[in-house]
Amino acid sequence: MPDSIIITVRFFAALKDRAGTAVVEIEHSEGMTVAEAVIAARKAAPTDPEPGESVMFALNGEYADTHEQVSLGDEDRKSTRLNSSHQIISY
């Protein structure tokens, strides 16, 4: 496994405006859940987008629960297959 695995997180709509960016990259940790990735993405954004309770999350182009794990080889269906060092989480 690579020393550092990077996850690309995309913000959409009002969250993108509040975050001050459309995309951040965070470092993956073993067993990381979507919820943990969201916390890291909020910290990585120029401004905390404060997503609230009604936000939906997507992993691999499918809606995801916050307890789902982010795994190597995950991909964004709208993109070409990603190499093992990137995953996409959208919210």
Side-chain angles (χ1 to χ4, degrees), residues 9-48:
V9 180
R10 295 181 183 166
F11 299 103
F12 291 95
L15 289 175
K16 180 173 84 173
D17 295 337
R18 292 196 307 251
T21 186
V23 176
V24 295
E25 291 186 339
I26 61 172
E27 193 168 331
H28 179 272
S29 61
E30 186 68 32
M32 178 180 261
T33 64
V34 170
E36 292 166 334
V38 167
I39 291 167
R42 290 175 66 181
K43 291 177 183 177
T47 306
D48 183 354

Side-chain angles (χ1 to χ4, degrees), residues 58-90:
L59 179 62
N60 300 320
E62 300 288 331
Y63 290 117
D65 290 324
T66 55
H67 67 274
E68 289 185 48
Q69 286 193 351
V70 180
S71 303
L72 284 176
D74 285 341
E75 62 184 287
D76 181 346
R77 289 177 180 223
K78 296 176 186 171
S79 302
T80 57
R81 179 83 178 148
L82 300 170
N83 66 37
S84 63
S85 65
H86 287 81
Q87 293 86 31
I88 302 283
I89 297 177
S90 305

